[in-house]
Amino acid sequence: MQFSLEDKLLPLQDSRRAKFSARLAPTIPSDRFLGIRTPDLKGIAKSLEPEQKEAFLTSLPHVYVEEDIIHIQLLNDYKNIDQARNALLAFLPFIQSWYQTDGLTFPHLSTDELFELAQSFLERPESYARRLGILWIMKRAPKLDPITAKVWLEKALAAAGNEREIQLAKAWLLCEFMIWQPELGMKALSFKELDPMLIRMAIGKCIDSRRIDEPAKQTLRQLRRTLS
């Protein structure tokens, strides 16, 4: 039986916010957006009883994007890697946009567990599975020791696909490395086999970042001028 949160969501809808959100995620039909604020969605997720959570997670596909966001928040509660993997694989066919992936971080999994999951997702055929793998590495790897960080940076950059969602995730990853490990980040950006368009995207993100100092930005601008 389909378990819906429609009765909790509809009273909170905001048509103006819905239109704005729909423009951010054009790959999702606009009529799936209700325009509900994230704190309200988190409140609904926390209010669900265990049996309601289980019913909701198995009631796929959801009608509204906001239900997808609640679904992601519930996935983030998993502390067991096998349960997390199985629940995400059930949800994966219904992901249509970065809007439905970028909040999924599995904060309760250890770094080793998250990287194990990332490795398997980097090898999957679905674009958003590979994006998730890159983003999970981005969340943890830049703060590790340089040797381990370099291994996972290279794995993420080697992920297949020229899709925009993949390229943007890689650019974001490189920017995070420029913030946390600038020497490693600069070496990666100077790698001749890296797609020049990806390098430009990453440099643009770095220049826009307030966490990267001006001397580093100047070096990046010089690098950008050398690109063909």
Side-chain angles (χ1 to χ4, degrees):
M1 181 178 178
Q2 188 78 8
F3 182 88
S4 174
L5 295 176
E6 187 171 313
D7 59 329
K8 295 179 180 289
L9 295 172
L10 292 183
L12 301 172
Q13 63 184 315
D14 181 328
S15 60
R16 290 183 63 185
R17 186 180 295 275
K19 291 178 181 178
F20 174 77
S21 297
R23 287 196 294 270
L24 296 177
T27 54
I28 301 176
S30 59
D31 60 0
R32 293 194 62 216
F33 289 86
L34 293 175
I36 300 173
R37 296 170 59 87
T38 300
D40 292 326
L41 297 176
K42 288 183 177 180
I44 292 172
K46 290 181 180 179
S47 73
L48 298 177
E49 298 294 333
E51 61 274 11
Q52 292 177 315
K53 293 180 181 179
E54 183 176 355
F56 178 71
L57 287 172
T58 56
S59 296
L60 292 166
H62 301 305
V63 175
Y64 301 110
V65 173
E66 283 77 6
E67 290 180 297
D68 291 338
I69 303 305
I70 291 173
H71 195 115
I72 289 166
Q73 291 168 357
L74 296 178
L75 290 179
N76 277 333
D77 290 337
Y78 278 107
K79 299 178 181 179
N80 177 281
I81 184 174
D82 293 325
Q83 293 176 344
R85 179 189 291 108
N86 292 337
L88 176 53
L89 287 175
F91 183 58
L92 186 59
F94 308 104
I95 295 177
Q96 301 173 289
S97 169
W98 65 269
Y99 202 89
Q100 299 158 294
T101 60
D102 291 14
L104 183 54
T105 60
F106 287 129
H108 300 297
L109 297 185
S110 70
T111 296
D112 286 343
E113 289 173 327
L114 188 62
F115 284 178
E116 177 186 334
L117 206 57
Q119 178 71 66
S120 65
F121 270 62
L122 289 176
E123 298 168 357
R124 291 190 63 86
E126 303 93 344
S127 294
Y128 289 107
R130 282 176 273 126
R131 180 180 174 91
L132 280 168
I134 294 167
L135 295 183
W136 293 333
I137 291 170
M138 181 195 74
K139 289 289 184 181
R140 307 274 184 103
K143 302 173 188 178
L144 300 177
D145 67 90
I147 295 176
T148 306
K150 181 176 183 290
V151 169
W152 285 101
L153 171 61
E154 291 175 351
K155 287 179 181 289
L157 291 177
N162 293 318
E163 303 95 321
R164 182 169 175 78
E165 58 267 22
I166 299 298
Q167 295 291 75
L168 284 172
K170 290 180 179 181
W172 191 4
L173 168 77
L174 287 164
C175 185
E176 285 296 307
F177 266 88
M178 281 299 302
I179 292 168
W180 292 95
Q181 300 205 40
E183 183 176 349
L184 188 53
M186 186 62 71
K187 286 182 179 178
L189 283 166
S190 302
F191 189 50
K192 292 182 179 180
E193 294 185 9
L194 210 59
D195 182 354
M197 183 59 69
L198 169 58
I199 298 174
R200 287 192 186 91
M201 292 168 66
I203 290 174
K205 283 183 173 292
C206 291
I207 290 173
D208 289 340
S209 175
R210 296 181 179 179
R211 296 186 291 166
I212 296 177
D213 62 31
E214 189 54 37
K217 290 181 180 180
Q218 188 59 35
T219 300
L220 289 170
R221 291 188 184 99
Q222 292 172 357
L223 173 60
R224 185 167 59 183
R225 286 194 288 269
T226 69
L227 299 174
S228 58

